Amino acid sequence: MDSQANSDSRLSFPFSKGIFFRLILLIIASLLTVCAPSEQSNLGVKDFEGISLEGENIRISDIAADRIALNVYGPNCLPCIKEIPVLNYLNAELKKTPHIKLYMIVDPDIFFDNPEALSTEQKMKEAAVLMKEEVKKFGIQLPVLIMKPPFKVDRTEGLVTGTPETLLFKTKPLILYYNFIGPISEESDPNKIPKNMKVIFFKKMAGQS
């Protein structure tokens, strides 16, 4: 009886082993499919472009950098204003690392109570004037882009649901890989900003060693 049982086990083992290895191969293939780097830009970011306050048209996917950080700013946004000292510090720091670019970006719609009543051209033009006032008033030092559609800050849907928010992208292709919801830090003491753990974390995530 025991001998027969052992014999049956030996006969069934190769079959079980074959199923096991086929399952392992299937799981590995599935994981490789999920984890494989995308060859396409995601979330519509390949279409993001804006106009600088100097009037230059800049397409995000054309920026010559390995990594791009986009800080989304809004007027009358207290956390956005409190974040400016940290952003100015990061702007100066990241300039030391040419492969990383930092921009402040703005959805022109948020400047107006009824943006649908204005054409895109009107909104872009007036938002640029208003943003220049913000730059002067709060001492913003990083480059600013007024964004064209389809970029939009939308509380109910879309990539960016509020301000401030900072998006980190890898390029070639342009891929969003990290999102900072809210201010990176509201530290205002210039002596403490470089030691702030949130600031250090951001620099690491942005690719500055």
Side-chain angles (χ1 to χ4, degrees):
M1 176 68 73
D2 290 341
S3 177
Q4 182 63 44
N6 289 337
S7 176
D8 290 344
S9 297
R10 286 194 296 272
L11 287 171
S12 63
F13 177 73
F15 177 72
S16 300
K17 187 176 180 181
I19 292 175
F20 175 76
F21 281 113
R22 283 197 292 271
L23 286 172
I24 290 295
L25 288 172
L26 182 61
I27 290 169
I28 291 172
S30 299
L31 288 174
L32 287 174
T33 301
V34 172
C35 298
S38 172
E39 295 298 326
Q40 303 294 327
S41 299
N42 60 352
L43 302 171
V45 297
K46 63 182 178 60
D47 298 320
F48 284 3
E49 62 179 303
I51 298 178
S52 72
L53 298 185
E54 294 72 40
E56 180 185 2
N57 192 81
I58 296 177
R59 191 174 182 86
I60 303 303
S61 59
D62 290 340
I63 294 172
D66 294 329
R67 301 205 181 186
I68 301 168
L70 302 179
N71 175 264
V72 188
Y73 177 88
N76 303 315
C77 164
L78 188 57
C80 296
I81 295 167
K82 287 185 175 181
E83 187 184 28
I84 290 171
V86 163
L87 292 174
N88 286 341
Y89 164 78
L90 289 171
N91 180 58
E93 282 292 297
L94 295 179
K95 281 183 177 178
K96 302 173 185 176
T97 314
H99 70 273
I100 307 171
K101 300 292 185 183
L102 171 63
Y103 291 86
M104 177 178 284
I105 63 173
V106 182
D107 175 3
D109 283 11
I110 62 179
F111 279 98
F112 309 103
D113 293 330
N114 298 299
E116 63 279 355
L118 300 171
S119 68
T120 299
E121 185 178 353
Q122 286 176 307
K123 286 185 289 189
M124 297 289 291
K125 186 175 181 179
E126 292 184 32
V129 172
L130 294 169
M131 195 60 206
K132 285 178 182 178
E133 294 176 3
E134 297 273 311
V135 168
K136 184 176 181 180
K137 182 178 180 180
F138 298 115
I140 297 169
Q141 296 172 8
L142 54 163
V144 177
L145 299 178
I146 308 298
M147 299 299 287
K148 298 179 178 181
F151 178 84
K152 186 174 181 58
V153 176
D154 191 321
R155 295 190 181 280
T156 58
E157 59 182 24
L159 177 59
V160 180
T161 58
T163 57
E165 187 168 333
T166 304
L167 314 174
L168 293 179
F169 297 90
K170 293 178 181 179
T171 61
K172 304 170 188 176
L174 187 66
I175 296 292
L176 174 68
Y177 71 92
Y178 205 89
N179 240 35
F180 285 81
I181 306 296
I184 296 168
S185 171
E186 294 184 1
E187 180 59 66
S188 59
D189 186 333
N191 295 315
K192 293 181 179 179
I193 289 175
K195 303 173 185 177
N196 183 278
M197 293 307 297
K198 292 180 179 179
V199 173
I200 293 170
F201 178 70
F202 176 86
K203 289 170 69 176
K204 182 178 180 180
M205 291 302 297
Q208 187 179 58
S209 57

